[in-house]
């Protein structure tokens, strides 16, 4: 989350904007590379676009992956520069 906060200053966008952009790209590319969880969990509240919620729900149904994991995958992909 701290990385996203720093990027929000660089790109003049909110953390929610960055997460929404990451999720939109994940929905478009369906690049779901699953990795083992590291046991660290954090809870944050962000505003999510309705279209992204719908897309995440469709990916959840299609791949059987929880929405919070899909959001984490989207953020990880964006930080790694992957589509």
């Amino acid at each position: 989350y701290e990385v996203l906060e720093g990027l929000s200053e660089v790109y003049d966008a909110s953390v929610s904007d960055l997460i929404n952009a990451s999720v939109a790209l994940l929905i478009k590319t369906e690049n779901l590379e699953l990795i083992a969880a590291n046991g660290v969990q954090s809870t944050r509240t962000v505003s999510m676009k309705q279209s992204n919620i719908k897309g995440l729900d469709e990916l959840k149904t299609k791949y059987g992956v929880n929405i919070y994991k899909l959001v984490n995958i989207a953020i990880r992909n964006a930080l790694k520069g992957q589509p």
Side-chain angles (χ1 to χ4, degrees):
Y1 191 84
E2 291 78 20
V3 173
L4 291 174
E5 288 178 320
L7 289 173
S8 71
E9 294 175 13
V10 171
Y11 293 107
D12 192 28
S14 70
V15 171
S16 291
D17 291 339
L18 296 173
I19 292 173
N20 272 292
S22 301
V23 168
L25 186 60
L26 177 71
I27 293 165
K28 180 179 176 182
T29 63
E30 296 188 20
N31 181 9
L32 275 71
E33 178 186 341
L34 299 175
I35 60 172
N38 63 6
V40 177
Q41 293 187 358
S42 175
T43 303
R44 306 278 187 197
T45 302
V46 298
S47 297
M48 188 72 63
K49 292 181 178 180
Q50 188 66 33
S51 60
N52 284 343
I53 293 170
K54 182 178 182 240
L56 286 170
D57 194 46
E58 290 170 1
L59 289 177
K60 176 185 172 191
T61 300
K62 185 173 183 177
Y63 294 102
V65 178
N66 291 328
I67 288 178
Y68 78 90
K69 288 182 183 177
L70 291 170
V71 171
N72 287 339
I73 291 167
I75 294 167
R76 186 187 74 234
N77 287 352
L79 292 176
K80 288 173 58 178
Q82 296 178 344

